[in-house]
Amino acid sequence: MRGRPSALAPAQPTPPRSSSPSTVTEPTAHLPVDPYDADTAESAWPSAAGQDTDCLLPPPNPAERFSIPITPRDQRRLALHAALTAAGIPPRPEDRAAIDQLSTLPPSTHTTLQRWLHHTA
């Protein structure tokens, strides 16, 4: 019963054996395709009439910057907001009073708070 095919399965033809080694053809080499290498004239959106397509802003002029000094307390308050946000704890509006109180603490305490928040992130 071993050599007979099952009545349910169709008999599979065996491929003829040849004495010569089979030759495998290598696929032809394809050049890499660059999806961004397209003719811009054909694929670009048409620009609106009278509108420049490239509008670069000039670099900021340092002489035109505001010269308003930030107090150390405000610097600590802003740094605490940034550290809380970076740690995944975005400050809520009702947290403003607590943050204002924390920003009045000495710089060494504020540095410790920053270190603690940095290690939680």
Side-chain angles (χ1 to χ4, degrees), residues 41-66:
E42 293 177 5
S43 62
W45 289 93
S47 60
Q51 186 180 21
D52 189 15
T53 58
D54 194 12
C55 179
L56 298 176
L57 296 175
N61 184 358
E64 294 176 357
R65 292 185 181 175
F66 295 117

Side-chain angles (χ1 to χ4, degrees), residues 50-110:
Q51 186 180 21
D52 189 15
T53 58
D54 194 12
C55 179
L56 298 176
L57 296 175
N61 184 358
E64 294 176 357
R65 292 185 181 175
F66 295 117
S67 61
I68 301 172
I70 298 177
T71 63
R73 178 183 175 186
D74 286 337
Q75 288 177 351
R76 289 191 296 269
R77 182 178 51 82
L78 292 172
L80 187 56
H81 270 278
L84 286 167
T85 304
I89 311 165
R92 295 182 180 171
E94 59 265 18
D95 298 337
R96 183 175 179 181
I99 292 172
D100 285 341
Q101 289 296 320
L102 289 171
S103 64
T104 62
L105 295 174
S108 61
T109 306
H110 182 71

Side-chain angles (χ1 to χ4, degrees), residues 22-44:
S22 62
T23 55
V24 177
T25 57
E26 294 293 323
T28 57
H30 295 285
L31 295 176
V33 177
D34 185 7
Y36 300 104
D37 186 24
D39 187 14
T40 56
E42 293 177 5
S43 62

